[in-house]
Amino acid sequence: MERKYSNFIEQIINEDIQGGFPKENICFRFPPEPNGYLHIGHAKAIAINFGLGEKYNAPVNLRFDDTNPSNEEQEYVEAIIEDVKWLKYKWGKITYSSDYFQKLYTWAEALIDSGDAYVDSQASEEIAEQKGSPTSSGKNSPYRERTKEENLRLFREMKDGAHKEGTHVLRAKIDMSSPNMLLRDPVMYRIMHIPHNRTKDKWCIYPMYDWAHGQSDYCEQVSHSLCSLEFKPHRDLYEWFVKKLTQKKPDGLVVVPKQTEFARLNLTYTIMSKRKLVALVEKGFVSGWDDPRMPTISGLRRRGYTPEAIRAFIEKVGVAKRE
């Protein structure tokens, strides 16, 4: 019989269990953004997360990262649910980042109150220029030392729709000289006067990915947050945000999520960029997301591939730490 070895993610989880982490607290999630259909690259992330859920008898949440209403649609939500179901995986529950918008907002106010966040009133171009480069330090925003009271007032006005898009953002106050560019006072919230698919007109501000992602993991008590390698530089920021919250221990939550990265799936001569796949659909080069020429899961399904074939392919590719 062929011996099946543990991959490095399983080794990390096993070490955590051996170190005393309760096995019953293990939880995973698959967090797609509903701005397009899933492709074969996403199938790897699906297989890794849900496969680990099966191995450790742990729940896997299907969580939609719906923080940008400008390009998210219910059609994509339904297509993603259908793809995961067709691949014969079972989720613990379906959740949305928007489920936590109120908590995220409350926690953002807490960071303002503790002096760890501030409202910046510069244009995005100015903020980008002040961030410097990988070889030179950034410069502090002229609004970095606003008082707590002024920051709270402006942030609440942003929430209430009193300001136009682009006039203010909320930034975390970290380190403008950090070698990790993502720690140079990253934007947490931006103003968007766009109705949301689920929350409608309730919010005029929406959280950025790095703020919403880790905190949503924390809300759901996800123990092991698995991401592809392009998010490795984001781990420092992920941990900074989570640490700030866990110090306060809101709502009695106990599990601190741990981010681990794996190599994404790339196929030679195959378009794997969702942005480019969207262009193919919108410009009419293909008949739709499920065109058999598309590398989407729905396109592969229409081409005649079976879920067993895709799962076997992903298993043979394996899980690696490098591209």
Side-chain angles (χ1 to χ4, degrees):
M1 181 181 294
E2 181 182 356
R3 181 180 177 185
K4 188 174 181 180
Y5 294 89
S6 297
N7 61 51
F8 78 96
I9 296 176
E10 292 170 352
Q11 291 171 2
I12 290 172
I13 297 172
N14 292 338
E15 290 171 0
D16 289 341
I17 294 172
Q18 292 168 7
F21 186 84
K23 191 172 181 179
E24 61 271 17
N25 285 350
I26 293 177
C27 178
F28 307 100
R29 86 290 171 269
F30 171 60
E33 182 179 359
N35 62 351
Y37 281 48
L38 301 181
H39 56 62
I40 186 63
H42 295 112
K44 180 177 181 179
I46 293 171
I48 289 175
N49 281 286
F50 284 94
L52 288 170
E54 293 174 354
K55 180 179 178 65
Y56 293 96
N57 192 29
V60 184
N61 294 338
L62 174 56
R63 185 177 73 233
F64 291 94
D65 175 31
D66 57 344
T67 57
N68 185 1
S70 63
N71 58 2
E72 298 166 355
E73 298 179 17
Q74 182 62 28
E75 173 192 352
Y76 300 144
V77 171
E78 295 170 0
I80 290 169
I81 291 173
E82 177 61 27
D83 286 344
V84 175
K85 188 184 300 182
W86 179 74
L87 286 170
K88 300 184 178 179
Y89 288 114
K90 296 181 180 179
W91 50 79
K93 56 184 176 181
I94 293 178
T95 62
Y96 300 81
S97 293
S98 56
D99 292 338
Y100 313 115
F101 278 178
Q102 184 59 54
K103 277 189 177 181
L104 291 170
Y105 175 81
T106 301
W107 290 344
E109 282 203 349
L111 289 183
I112 293 175
D113 190 61
S114 62
D116 294 306
Y118 64 97
V119 174
D120 196 334
S121 304
Q122 299 180 99
S124 58
E125 295 80 9
E126 293 175 295
I127 293 175
E129 184 178 351
Q130 288 172 354
K131 282 202 171 184
S133 71
T135 57
S136 63
S137 295
K139 297 179 181 178
N140 287 346
S141 164
Y143 301 100
R144 201 173 194 263
E145 301 307 322
R146 268 177 163 155
T147 64
K148 175 179 66 177
E149 292 74 20
E150 186 177 8
N151 282 319
L152 284 172
R153 176 182 63 79
L154 286 170
F155 189 47
R156 289 167 181 169
E157 289 176 357
M158 289 164 59
K159 175 181 71 73
D160 294 336
H163 299 283
K164 296 180 180 179
E165 294 185 16
T167 54
H168 305 290
V169 293
L170 183 71
R171 298 177 68 180
K173 186 187 289 187
I174 306 180
D175 182 3
M176 289 300 290
S177 62
S178 172
N180 185 339
M181 298 284 289
L182 294 173
L183 292 180
R184 296 185 182 182
D185 289 13
V187 174
M188 295 172 61
Y189 278 93
R190 74 285 206 199
I191 300 170
M192 296 179 72
H193 294 287
I194 300 175
H196 187 278
N197 181 46
R198 297 183 71 241
T199 62
K200 308 306 178 186
D201 295 317
K202 181 177 180 179
W203 296 93
C204 297
I205 55 173
Y206 292 95
M208 301 296 288
Y209 170 85
D210 282 312
W211 170 239
H213 181 65
Q215 292 16 274
S216 295
D217 284 346
Y218 186 45
C219 287
E220 296 177 9
Q221 291 291 268
V222 170
S223 60
H224 296 81
S225 177
L226 309 178
C227 308
S228 47
L229 274 179
E230 65 263 34
F231 291 100
K232 186 174 182 178
H234 295 249
R235 193 201 305 168
D236 290 341
L237 181 54
Y238 182 103
E239 293 176 348
W240 189 89
F241 279 136
V242 171
K243 183 178 180 181
K244 287 293 179 181
L245 287 182
T246 53
Q247 287 174 341
K248 304 174 187 299
K249 296 191 181 302
D251 303 329
L253 301 176
V254 294
V255 174
V256 178
K258 175 192 289 187
Q259 178 174 307
T260 302
E261 306 84 22
F262 58 86
R264 63 186 296 173
L265 174 64
N266 291 312
L267 296 182
T268 307
Y269 307 123
T270 304
I271 294 176
M272 303 289 277
S273 164
K274 191 185 291 185
R275 176 176 55 81
K276 293 179 180 178
L277 293 176
V278 168
L280 288 176
V281 174
E282 292 182 345
K283 294 181 180 179
F285 289 108
V286 293
S287 61
W289 286 98
D290 66 345
D291 188 302
R293 295 168 293 178
M294 291 280 275
T296 54
I297 294 175
S298 57
L300 294 169
R301 179 164 64 241
R302 189 174 167 195
R303 197 186 306 178
Y305 285 98
T306 65
E308 292 79 11
I310 294 176
R311 290 178 61 156
F313 170 63
I314 299 300
E315 184 176 351
K316 289 180 181 296
V317 169
V319 183
K321 293 184 180 182
R322 56 181 293 178
E323 295 289 359

